[in-house]
Amino acid sequence: MFGNRNRRKALLVSAALVGGTLLMTACQDTDGGGAVDTGAAQSGSPSAGSEPSASADGPAATPSASAGAPEADPSASASGGREGSGADTGSGEQVGQVCGANDLSWSTRSESQAGGYILVMAKAKSGITCVLPAALPTIAFGSDGTEAGPAEQSVGKAITLSGGTTAYAGVNPKTTNTDWGKELDSIIVAIGNDDANPVSLKVGTINVDKPVVTNWHTAPKDAVPFN
């Protein structure tokens, strides 16, 4: 009887040991598999905190669209691409600005040829280059602004004034054969009717009646106002 009881106890102990061993093995397999899966998840899907930000200094940073844009050339709008106030002809040659009366130095002298006339002389002031247009000079007399008409049949050529170049125009203050006229001692000169700064030139006492003026010329002999 005791032999059977001892044998049963031995079987129970053996079963308990086998069951405990199996349970421990199952737990180890479960823990190991979880560790592997967790590692795979960690290596395959990095967390959001591990991604480089767009503003990082490293090579992963992505520059913005404006970062690589070239800066505007400050000189492009400063002078329109060229110096001075002349116009560009497209061949690199500069065409000077139109002269104003205040751009020029003026002088006059009386001449006896052709019954007597006033020779008007104009030179560009120092540092100025400008163009007298191919148009009649504007010459006015007296408080009523009597203007001189053309002494030539057609207008002359444009003249560029710079340095020592001088332009000449001849003014005949009286073209009539009467004794009537206005006695004046100055003339008003402008470069066209739109000149905002006409000048007044002293010429001595003159008798004015239906005056005429020549075009601008580069030689004084060409500026004689023949009737």
Side-chain angles (χ1 to χ4, degrees):
M1 182 173 181
F2 288 102
N4 292 333
R5 184 181 298 176
N6 290 335
R7 187 181 298 113
R8 186 183 302 165
K9 186 182 293 185
L11 290 174
L12 289 174
V13 171
S14 298
L17 290 176
V18 171
T21 301
L22 292 176
L23 180 63
M24 289 181 63
T25 302
C27 291
Q28 288 177 356
D29 289 342
T30 302
D31 292 340
V36 171
D37 291 343
T38 302
Q42 289 179 350
S43 61
S45 301
S47 64
S50 65
E51 289 183 357
S53 64
S55 60
D57 293 334
T62 302
S64 63
S66 61
E71 295 183 0
D73 185 353
S75 64
S77 60
S79 64
R82 61 176 187 272
E83 297 180 356
S85 58
D88 193 340
T89 62
S91 61
E93 180 183 357
Q94 293 289 323
V95 179
Q97 63 179 349
V98 174
C99 297
N102 60 340
D103 295 322
L104 309 176
S105 297
W106 297 91
S107 59
T108 63
R109 71 170 181 250
S110 296
E111 299 285 356
S112 60
Q113 191 176 0
Y117 69 98
I118 301 164
L119 184 65
V120 179
M121 295 164 282
K123 296 178 66 173
K125 292 179 179 179
S126 178
I128 292 178
T129 297
C130 61
V131 177
L132 288 173
L136 200 69
T138 300
I139 305 291
F141 301 84
S143 59
D144 62 354
T146 299
E147 287 193 22
E152 299 178 77
Q153 296 297 320
S154 60
V155 298
K157 296 180 179 180
I159 299 173
T160 299
L161 293 181
S162 179
T165 304
T166 302
Y168 303 88
V171 180
N172 185 346
K174 182 175 171 59
T175 60
T176 62
N177 294 322
T178 67
D179 294 333
W180 187 90
K182 296 182 293 185
E183 286 195 352
L184 303 169
D185 62 1
S186 64
I187 60 176
I188 299 170
V189 183
I191 311 301
N193 293 325
D194 295 331
D195 193 337
N197 299 286
V199 297
S200 179
L201 306 177
K202 290 291 185 180
V203 294
T205 301
I206 55 175
N207 199 11
V208 179
D209 186 20
K210 295 185 179 179
V212 295
V213 62
T214 69
N215 300 312
W216 292 110
H217 297 277
T218 55
K221 64 182 179 60
D222 296 328
V224 179
F226 294 106
N227 289 336

